[in-house]
Every structure is written in structure tokens, then in C-alpha cells.
Amino acid sequence: QVQLVESGGGLVQPGGSLRLSCAASGSIFSIMGWYRQAPGKQRELVASISGGGSTNYADSVKGRFTISRDNAKNTIYLQMNSLKPEDTAVYYCNARTVRAVVHWGQGTQVTVSS
């Protein structure tokens, strides 16, 4: 059974940093990533990373967020720096198995506010 366990969300002031983690188990995963959904908005891709380390970022987070992956631990991380109020959202881990089945984590709240 596939499980994605997220951690690291919380409340931070503008300009601050947070690091999200997502530990995956139960399958072999190809592309993994982070999505976010703010109140009243659609869920959007934040960043993704392949098993080989190729990354993709939303334009709004380029230069501020860094996604990384530890294949031995089946874990991805999202280092978020220079956070802005508009980064406030529920962040969801996403993982695609080698059979192209997509799984989602339960979500972790990130709030950027003074």
C-alpha cells in the first residue's frame, strides 16, 4: 500500500524559510513533486523531480524554492526561502509510480504572515 507522509509545514514570517519533507513507501516512484492549493484557487504545481534528479519549478517560486530527492529513503524535500504571503497554501506531496499511478499526501499547511 502506497503511503506519502508529509511534514514541515507551519507558520512563518515573510522572508522566512521552511523545509517540507515527504516520505514515500509501498512502491517504486518515478516523478515526485509538490503541489499547493490556496483558498479559492486551483491546485498548482510548485516543483517536481525525476528519479534522475531533473527538476521543474513554477515560475513563481524559481530562485526561492529548491526541490531535492533522496532515492535511498524514497523521500523528497522542498526548501522554501524568501517566503511571501502569497505562498500561503496547503502543500501536497505527489508521487507517480513506474506504472503511472498517481498518489497524493494528506497535505500540510504553510502560512506566511506577520
Side-chain angles (χ1 to χ4, degrees):
Q1 184 175 356
V2 172
Q3 280 192 315
L4 303 179
V5 180
E6 300 147 335
S7 60
L11 172 64
V12 64
Q13 291 187 342
S17 298
L18 281 175
R19 189 191 194 211
L20 305 182
S21 300
C22 174
S25 61
S27 187
I28 298 172
F29 302 97
S30 55
I31 296 174
M32 298 181 69
W34 292 95
Y35 285 70
R36 67 186 180 187
Q37 187 166 19
K41 294 188 176 181
Q42 289 189 331
R43 191 172 296 189
E44 63 176 0
L45 174 69
V46 176
S48 64
I49 186 167
S50 70
S54 297
T55 58
N56 182 43
Y57 294 94
D59 287 343
S60 59
V61 307
K62 283 180 181 177
R64 300 188 298 122
F65 290 11
T66 302
I67 190 169
S68 60
R69 179 169 180 164
D70 184 336
N71 286 326
K73 296 182 179 179
N74 248 358
T75 299
I76 61 170
Y77 306 93
L78 186 68
Q79 178 66 43
M80 304 185 292
N81 299 328
S82 302
L83 282 160
K84 305 175 181 180
E86 51 263 44
D87 294 317
T88 295
V90 178
Y91 284 69
Y92 295 92
C93 179
N94 171 283
R96 180 179 301 176
T97 70
V98 294
R99 293 188 175 185
V101 177
V102 176
H103 297 272
W104 294 91
Q106 79 281 3
T108 185
Q109 177 70 45
V110 171
T111 302
V112 185
S113 175
S114 55

